[in-house]
Amino acid sequence: MKQRDLKYPCLIAVLYFGMNVNAQTTPKDSLAKEQKIEEVVLIGYGSQKKENITGSIGIVSAKDLANKPNANPISSIQGRLAGVQVLNSGTPGGSPRVDIRGISSLTGKTVFIVDGMITDDISFLGPQDIESMSVLKDPSSLAIYGARAANGAVIIKTKTGKSKKPVFNFNSYLGIKTVTNIPKMVNSDQYIQLYNEKLVNDKVNNPTFLNRSAYPLDTDWYKEILKTSIINSNDFSAAGSIGKLNYYGSLGYLQDEGNLAAGQGINSGSGFNRFNSKLNLSYKINDNITIGNNFTFSKMRTDQALNPLLDAYSSPPVYGTIDPGTGGYQYFTLAKVPNSRAKLDLYRSQIREERLLNNIWGEYKFLSDFTLRISYTSDNINSNKYEYTPTFGYVPVADQKPTKLITRDSRTRNYIWDNTLSWKRNFGKHNIELLAGFSRTRNSYSQAYAEALNVKYDGSNSSLAISNGTDVFLTSFDEGERNVIPYQDRIESFFGRLNYDYGGKYLVNASLRRDGTSKYSANDRHKVFPAISAGWVISKENFMSEQNVFNVLKLRASWGKLGNPDVQRAYTLNTTKIQEGAYYGENGAPAQTIDKIIDPNIGWETTTGRDLGLEMGLFNNKLKIDATYFDKDTKDVVYGIVQGTVSGAGNWNNYITNAYSFNNKGFEVSVNYDTKINDNIKIGIYGNLTTLKNRITSVANGSYLQTGASLYGNSIIRLQEGQAVGSYYGYQVQGVFQNQGEVDAAAIQNGATPGGFQFADLDGNGVIDTRDKTFLGSPIPKGTYGFGVNLNVYDFDFAIDFQGVFGNKIYNFNREQRYGNESWDLDFYNNRWHGEGTSNYYPMATNNQAIILPNSFYVEDGSYIRIRNIQLGYNLPQTFSKAMSITKLRLYISAQNPWTSFKYNGFSPEILNTDRVQMGIDNNIYPISAIYTIGMNLTF
């Protein structure tokens, strides 16, 4: 069990006194603003009163995002919403992964609709610019977005000006970031002991034992490459109106140094910088016509190191960073592991990105009931990346290579054109709203690739030019290169929706969308996505009029269908050129042969979902409960399978087609309680819980796929019917052989020896082979949860948020991937087998490959509970604020991730892999940091 205590806040207080703001309105206006956010929910192409919502939608307000030291706004909602799992990246500037109600597809991402623009990454957006979010969870809510929302969608509305008087906000915080739960590794004495034990265990002839006198150093490699760092954010905004013009403008700058110890050699560490600006304008030409523009520009720089964390994990502590004999970096002779300090110092890589997102829109109201809205959004991204690998002079001459520079200049050009016509009318108690729309989207990407050798770096980025090197290789933007093929795809859609309610009591929502995509051939280009949902507000029935417990009691149900066209697909056969592959007499000529067979009939993935929910508001709406059961099926999921009948093809064991069907079902409940004890004391308590069962329900031709990380050709993941996505596959360890008698009495097992694993003979045939492999656990949590408390006492406020998961497993690939004399962690040293009776779970130190076959020893509990945020604030009394001619002044200190309790033998049980198939494999994951900040809220 690992725990870490809160520390450093006092140090931060000494270092810095910052300023921060959340509100963009005066206190008089803010109450009305918050009330409006509670009552009105963003839905696809519009908004709706919360009481009339029939789908399952999670709501996030600006205050839920404020004062959190996260570059990406989505990171701040971790643990806040039922049915939504957010996995954060420890990498500065890294985007989190959002899984809504399980895994529906192995490709594609959750999309974000920012002021009408659809994107899968909002790292460009400052949290302070967001007014509200709506997380669409059920297919009936998502179906209006059709093909774009198969993996869920989040609608984001940015702030606008409202008050006539200008309101200015300034936000600044300074934080200290420190890596917590650093794995403890063996010291030099322990390493030497294990090394010598290994020689004895492996019965090495004429072994050369290590002795401490020959290796006097004792290096903690994590201390060599990790550091405590600084994160700082500054934001300024102005909002208001001038006549018929409403405006909101902001400027922001974020700097995150990262926890890799940069600053030596030519390295660039893992820092992240972002400048972002925003301007939202709306102008009311007359009572019927309003036009507007939402403009966002951001500039980001991300430094990337060359994976020093895994090297530090594997590095023997008997070596130092510097060779005392030469004064240069130390070369390891005992293990083939790079010197992580040298690698961090000498390798340099950086990404610079500029992004301009511009939304122009207009609304025209006519005939009193009709509204026409036209919106055009362009999203332009220019990204420049370089990777510079110097000559590593500390390695043997035979292994030295010339310097190499690689550059990748990419361009992304996306646009979306939306046109909607809505009609809203009341006929007594009958309330009807109709929406019809047309949308067209185009996404394109291209990249120019270049590489050169013998480029000399003089300390400036200008020296890192391809023209300064030799052996130059170039491609242009419009031709394929070694890693990326330029592409362009288009989607054209027609959609419609009906919202109906009778006296706010009986609710119906129905939608239909028809999508056509350029990714498929003409006979499979279009798909129709229907959805329907209904609600019954029981609390408005006459028989409920006399009770005083329920303010709201609503039953809702929904059904809907979605599609995913973002799948791997190719129309042509993959061929490989063979020099002199065909002969005419004695003369050879180049030829081609088929290397991979691609299924030409790959089509849409489709998801069908059902949802049944109950909403309750009790005791004057102080207590709110929302409980939902969901069940969704995804068919024709595109991924690889074993196709043994394909003769001669290189991809027989990974034949890509519409192969899989998935099911995700579960139950989610959220509870919120808010009460006002008196005018000076308020308390709020919230909690949510989601249970989930994911299962592969069918595989094409009854096949399977062995995939994921592998060691010596032994893959860890197996996709097979009846199992959860990403399930681990290997041998079940039933103990450790204590003596030769146990080895002789057990099933025949290759490499069996005292101190080694005893694998279970599952088929009972007396021989341990691949037929004895079994499923060892799933990376998908059986449950996720979050809860917290908010307290306001006079001028003080306090908030604490907890978050966690349970029922999932992590595969510790860091521990498994051994090739020789890599280091060990201290947990292994303390619990290893080193003689009969010493351990029946941990093996001995050995190079026996039977130890590192995929097995249950490396499958560990991924459950954890974490204090996600703690914040203590003080609001300056109004009398002092008025004397200073300001509206609001609030001081605060906060801590993010200060404490996590878990059992996993690694940095963190929160494992983020962008590949959903390998979602639970820890293979050099960047650690999550604790962040301690101080700031102040200011509005004037």
Side-chain angles (χ1 to χ4, degrees), residues 225-240:
I225 66 168
L226 293 175
K227 66 174 183 178
T228 298
S229 64
I230 298 296
I231 181 172
N232 176 235
S233 176
N234 301 275
D235 295 277
F236 176 80
S237 67

Side-chain angles (χ1 to χ4, degrees), residues 141-439:
S141 301
L142 293 162
I144 195 69
Y145 287 113
R148 300 307 304 270
N151 290 287
V154 180
I155 305 176
I156 296 176
K157 183 180 185 300
T158 58
K159 293 178 179 178
T160 58
K162 291 182 174 65
S163 63
K164 293 183 178 180
K165 180 181 177 181
V167 177
F168 300 98
N169 300 315
F170 181 68
N171 169 347
S172 178
Y173 64 76
L174 182 72
I176 287 181
K177 295 182 64 177
T178 180
V179 178
T180 59
N181 307 314
I182 299 175
K184 294 181 179 179
M185 307 301 293
V186 296
N187 60 29
S188 289
D189 290 326
Q190 294 160 339
Y191 176 85
I192 290 172
Q193 181 182 353
L194 290 174
Y195 182 95
N196 292 338
E197 274 185 23
K198 182 162 60 70
L199 296 179
V200 175
N201 293 336
D202 292 344
K203 299 179 174 59
V204 176
N205 294 324
N206 301 316
T208 302
F209 294 107
L210 301 184
N211 62 80
R212 195 72 169 88
S213 60
Y215 294 93
L217 298 177
D218 192 359
T219 302
D220 184 331
W221 284 100
Y222 281 130
K223 286 186 178 179
E224 292 296 329
I225 66 168
L226 293 175
K227 66 174 183 178
T228 298
S229 64
I230 298 296
I231 181 172
N232 176 235
S233 176
N234 301 275
D235 295 277
F236 176 80
S237 67
S241 63
I242 303 174
K244 296 181 179 181
L245 176 69
N246 290 342
Y247 62 89
Y248 172 84
S250 70
L251 297 172
Y253 181 75
L254 172 72
Q255 182 177 20
D256 185 347
E257 293 181 351
N259 290 115
L260 292 180
Q264 304 181 52
I266 65 169
N267 78 94
S268 48
S270 59
F272 173 76
N273 294 338
R274 180 186 66 202
F275 166 79
N276 56 279
S277 61
K278 181 133 192 80
L279 180 62
N280 288 347
L281 301 173
S282 65
Y283 184 76
K284 193 169 185 179
I285 297 176
N286 54 42
D287 291 341
N288 297 323
I289 301 176
T290 304
I291 59 175
N293 181 225
N294 301 318
F295 173 90
T296 302
F297 175 76
S298 66
K299 201 170 183 180
M300 294 180 285
R301 191 195 76 191
T302 305
D303 298 324
Q304 297 183 320
L306 189 60
N307 302 327
L309 288 162
L310 182 59
D311 297 332
Y313 181 87
S314 303
S315 294
V318 296
Y319 293 107
T321 58
I322 302 299
D323 186 338
T326 64
Y329 290 105
Q330 179 71 60
Y331 173 71
F332 304 160
T333 56
L334 291 175
K336 292 184 178 180
V337 179
N339 184 322
S340 54
R341 180 69 260 172
K343 200 171 171 185
L344 181 58
D345 286 351
L346 300 179
Y347 175 85
R348 185 174 182 86
S349 179
Q350 193 175 94
I351 301 175
R352 292 177 179 269
E353 179 180 292
E354 293 184 353
R355 186 168 187 175
L356 193 155
L357 191 149
N358 192 38
N359 168 240
I360 302 172
W361 60 271
E363 280 189 354
Y364 174 49
K365 296 180 180 180
F366 59 99
L367 299 179
S368 72
D369 301 323
F370 290 88
T371 301
L372 173 67
R373 181 181 175 92
I374 300 175
S375 172
Y376 179 87
T377 308
S378 61
D379 185 11
N380 298 324
I381 306 172
N382 292 335
S383 178
N384 309 103
K385 178 179 180 179
Y386 68 78
E387 304 166 33
Y388 180 69
T389 305
T391 299
F392 292 116
Y394 64 93
V395 302
V397 175
D399 294 336
Q400 292 183 12
K401 298 179 181 179
T403 65
K404 185 175 184 178
L405 175 65
I406 296 175
T407 64
R408 293 178 175 90
D409 296 335
S410 61
R411 299 172 182 172
T412 303
R413 300 290 184 265
N414 303 329
Y415 83 78
I416 181 168
W417 179 35
D418 287 331
N419 305 269
T420 60
L421 177 64
S422 61
W423 176 73
K424 189 173 183 179
R425 195 62 155 325
N426 301 329
F427 301 95
K429 292 185 178 182
H430 299 276
N431 303 303
I432 301 175
E433 183 175 0
L434 294 174
L435 174 77
F438 167 76
S439 179

Side-chain angles (χ1 to χ4, degrees), residues 567-587:
V567 298
Q568 302 178 60
R569 181 178 172 83
Y571 292 105
T572 59
L573 296 177
N574 291 70
T575 59
T576 298
K577 292 183 179 180
I578 304 175
Q579 294 298 323
E580 299 183 353
Y583 282 83
Y584 301 91
E586 297 181 354
N587 299 318

Side-chain angles (χ1 to χ4, degrees), residues 604-917:
W604 291 79
E605 297 178 353
T606 58
T607 297
T608 303
R610 298 153 292 278
D611 190 285
L612 180 64
L614 180 66
E615 296 178 22
M616 293 178 283
L618 302 90
F619 314 122
N620 293 323
N621 279 325
K622 292 181 180 180
L623 177 63
K624 296 180 180 179
I625 301 174
D626 191 328
T628 305
Y629 172 78
F630 61 89
D631 186 355
K632 61 180 181 178
D633 294 294
T634 304
K635 296 183 179 180
D636 299 321
V637 176
V638 177
Y639 212 72
I641 56 171
V642 172
Q643 186 82 345
T645 59
V646 181
S647 177
N651 65 326
W652 66 271
N653 60 345
N654 191 13
Y655 176 72
I656 297 174
T657 185
N658 291 103
Y660 298 89
S661 294
F662 299 157
N663 176 263
N664 293 273
K665 64 177 62 175
F667 179 79
E668 62 185 42
V669 60
S670 60
V671 179
N672 292 271
Y673 179 77
D674 292 284
T675 187
K676 182 178 179 181
I677 297 176
N678 56 46
D679 290 341
N680 296 310
I681 301 176
K682 300 176 184 178
I683 187 170
I685 303 172
Y686 78 90
N688 63 76
L689 171 68
T690 303
T691 64
L692 175 68
K693 182 177 181 180
N694 171 275
R695 187 167 63 93
I696 300 173
T697 53
S698 68
V699 184
N701 303 322
S703 188
Y704 65 92
L705 180 67
Q706 197 82 18
T707 186
S710 65
L711 196 65
Y712 299 115
N714 296 291
S715 298
I716 293 170
I717 303 295
R718 187 178 175 102
L719 300 177
Q720 183 173 306
E721 182 178 341
Q723 302 298 320
V725 174
S727 292
Y728 315 122
Y729 190 73
Y731 295 98
Q732 182 67 50
V733 175
Q734 62 181 29
V736 173
F737 289 117
Q738 298 299 313
N739 51 54
Q740 188 59 41
E742 291 187 1
V743 174
D744 296 338
I748 298 172
Q749 178 178 323
N750 185 34
T753 182
F757 290 130
Q758 181 181 0
F759 297 142
D761 182 15
L762 297 181
D763 63 359
N765 67 353
V767 178
I768 302 298
D769 55 25
T770 56
R771 291 171 292 184
D772 294 300
K773 286 186 175 182
T774 187
F775 288 94
L776 304 174
S778 165
I780 300 176
K782 293 180 180 178
T784 60
Y785 59 90
F787 59 94
V789 177
N790 301 283
L791 180 65
N792 290 270
V793 179
Y794 291 88
D795 294 322
F796 290 91
D797 60 83
F798 172 79
I800 184 169
D801 301 303
F802 292 84
Q803 171 262 331
V805 304
F806 62 88
N808 62 307
K809 300 295 183 180
I810 298 172
Y811 198 96
N812 194 337
F813 194 63
N814 293 331
R815 186 179 252 185
E816 183 189 19
Q817 52 183 314
R818 298 188 61 84
Y819 303 92
N821 300 322
E822 296 87 356
S823 188
W824 292 267
D825 58 63
L826 186 60
D827 174 73
F828 176 86
Y829 173 84
N830 290 332
N831 296 284
R832 77 193 186 284
W833 186 95
H834 54 284
E836 186 170 348
T838 55
S839 176
N840 196 38
Y841 186 68
Y842 283 66
M844 64 184 176
T846 180
N847 277 343
N848 187 338
Q849 286 194 20
I851 299 295
I852 56 176
L853 290 172
N855 65 70
S856 59
F857 174 75
Y858 303 106
V859 178
E860 301 186 31
D861 187 1
S863 304
Y864 71 89
I865 181 172
R866 168 184 294 151
I867 295 179
R868 179 60 178 154
N869 287 287
I870 304 177
Q871 189 167 130
L872 176 64
Y874 172 71
N875 293 276
L876 199 66
Q878 287 292 317
T879 53
F880 290 97
S881 299
K882 290 180 180 179
M884 299 172 63
S885 300
I886 60 177
T887 303
K888 181 180 179 181
L889 184 63
R890 176 177 176 266
L891 312 176
Y892 73 89
I893 57 173
S894 71
Q896 182 167 280
N897 307 323
W899 175 87
T900 306
S901 176
F902 61 96
K903 297 179 180 179
Y904 173 64
N905 289 292
F907 278 107
S908 169
E910 187 172 356
I911 306 298
L912 174 60
N913 279 313
T914 54
D915 181 359
R916 282 184 167 88
V917 174

